[in-house]
């Protein structure tokens, strides 16, 4: 089970079907635990739900952006370009995409389909909007933030090796990885810092 989203009594998720070699986009009713398949595809990532729509990246169509309604109907292309990352805030899509795979940019797009503005001429992965800032994983797998008004240059909070992060009122929790060889990566602990990027006195690795 991956890409979990909860709407009312329904849990939406993707699940790999190894027999069909496809990813099934499914939902489960939490009351009776019955599940149903809404859509089968070669691969689906970045599953997000807003209003009555499920938005996802469809690997079968050159990783372009798609949407469907909550019942699996009205499947349609939203953004017909190679897409690597997606976030949804206030019915706006924040998309890292490109006409060519090697030339990524991040844009804000209104959900009806109109472009609003370009945020960065590069990929902003796992973007989170918090207060007046966008926080994201960027160049060299570093953790960055930039004002939502885009009036200043990005600030580097952690220089490199960020694998995941989440933001709460208590601050930023993030995990690091280290390369154990040319090909393998290993987890290297979970850490905490405040929203300004300063390490808390209680910060420590949570890996034993």
């Amino acid at each position: 089970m991956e890409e979990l989203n909860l709407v009312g009594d329904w849990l939406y998720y993707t699940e790999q079907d190894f027999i069909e070699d496809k990813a099934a986009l499914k939902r489960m009713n939490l009351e009776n635990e019955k599940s149903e398949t809404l859509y089968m595809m070669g691969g689906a990532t970045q599953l997000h739900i807003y209003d009555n729509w499920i938005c996802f990246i469809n690997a079968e169509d050159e990783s372009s952006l798609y949407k469907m309604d909550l019942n699996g109907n009205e499947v349609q292309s939203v953004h017909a370009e190679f897409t690597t990352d997606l976030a949804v805030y206030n019915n706006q899509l924040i998309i890292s995409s490109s006409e060519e795979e090697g030339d990524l940019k991040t844009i804000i797009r209104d959900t009806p389909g109109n472009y609003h503005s370009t945020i960065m001429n590069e990929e902003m992965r796992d973007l989170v909007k918090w207060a007046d800032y966008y926080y994201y994983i960027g160049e060299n797998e570093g953790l960055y933030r930039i004002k939502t008004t885009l009036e200043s240059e990005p600030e580097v909070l952690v220089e490199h090796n960020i694998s995941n992060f989440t933001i709460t009122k208590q601050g930023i929790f993030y995990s690091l990885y280290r390369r154990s060889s040319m090909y393998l990566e290993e987890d290297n602990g979970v850490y905490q810092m405040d929203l300004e990027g300063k390490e808390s006195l209680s910060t420590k690795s949570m890996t034993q």
Side-chain angles (χ1 to χ4, degrees):
M1 231 182 241
E2 297 179 335
E3 309 286 347
L4 302 180
N5 280 253
L6 184 63
V7 180
D9 293 329
W10 292 98
L11 177 66
Y12 291 80
Y13 60 96
T14 60
E15 186 174 73
Q16 188 69 31
D17 187 322
F18 294 101
I19 296 177
E20 296 289 336
D21 193 26
K22 289 182 177 288
L25 199 161
K26 296 184 175 183
R27 68 177 179 180
M28 176 190 294
N29 188 294
L30 297 179
E31 289 189 354
N32 56 32
E33 297 187 356
K34 290 184 177 180
S35 63
E36 57 183 308
T37 299
L38 300 179
Y39 192 62
M40 291 290 291
M41 64 200 80
T45 59
Q46 299 292 320
L47 186 66
H48 289 264
I49 293 179
Y50 66 94
D51 290 341
N52 295 312
W53 295 99
I54 306 168
C55 203
F56 60 94
I57 296 173
N58 188 350
E60 276 191 329
D61 188 13
E62 300 181 345
S63 293
S64 57
L65 195 62
Y66 270 63
K67 74 174 182 179
M68 67 174 69
D69 68 23
L70 293 178
N71 296 313
N73 302 317
E74 299 187 50
V75 180
Q76 56 190 280
S77 175
V78 175
H79 187 73
E81 293 182 3
F82 175 83
T83 304
T84 62
D85 208 79
L86 166 68
V88 180
Y89 289 99
N90 298 325
N91 286 333
Q92 289 185 321
L93 307 179
I94 303 178
I95 308 166
S96 288
S97 70
S98 175
E99 293 182 6
E100 298 182 4
E101 186 172 341
D103 187 26
L104 289 164
K105 63 181 179 181
T106 302
I107 65 171
I108 294 179
R109 181 171 181 165
D110 296 328
T111 51
N114 299 315
Y115 287 103
H116 178 65
S117 64
T118 297
I119 300 177
M120 295 280 284
N121 288 314
E122 61 185 64
E123 180 182 20
M124 300 170 74
R125 182 162 62 86
D126 296 348
L127 184 145
V128 174
K129 184 178 180 181
W130 187 274
D132 298 326
Y133 286 89
Y134 295 124
Y135 294 80
Y136 64 97
I137 298 175
E139 187 178 11
N140 299 321
E141 305 298 320
L143 180 59
Y144 296 77
R145 74 172 185 173
I146 188 172
K147 288 188 175 182
T148 55
T149 55
L150 309 178
E151 63 187 21
S152 60
E153 293 296 317
E155 300 175 55
V156 182
L157 303 182
V158 180
E159 289 187 2
H160 51 74
N161 293 1
I162 293 287
S163 56
N164 293 283
F165 75 96
T166 189
I167 300 180
T168 71
K169 292 180 179 179
Q170 286 71 43
I172 303 171
F173 294 85
Y174 63 97
S175 58
L176 297 173
Y177 67 85
R178 61 168 178 252
R179 299 188 186 280
S180 58
S181 72
M182 184 179 298
Y183 303 103
L184 299 177
E185 296 175 354
E186 295 180 348
D187 288 336
N188 193 27
V190 179
Y191 302 84
Q192 180 186 2
M193 61 184 171
D194 65 23
L195 295 173
E196 301 299 317
K198 298 177 181 178
E199 301 287 346
S200 167
L201 293 176
S202 61
T203 299
K204 61 181 179 180
S205 169
M206 299 180 185
T207 300
Q208 300 297 323

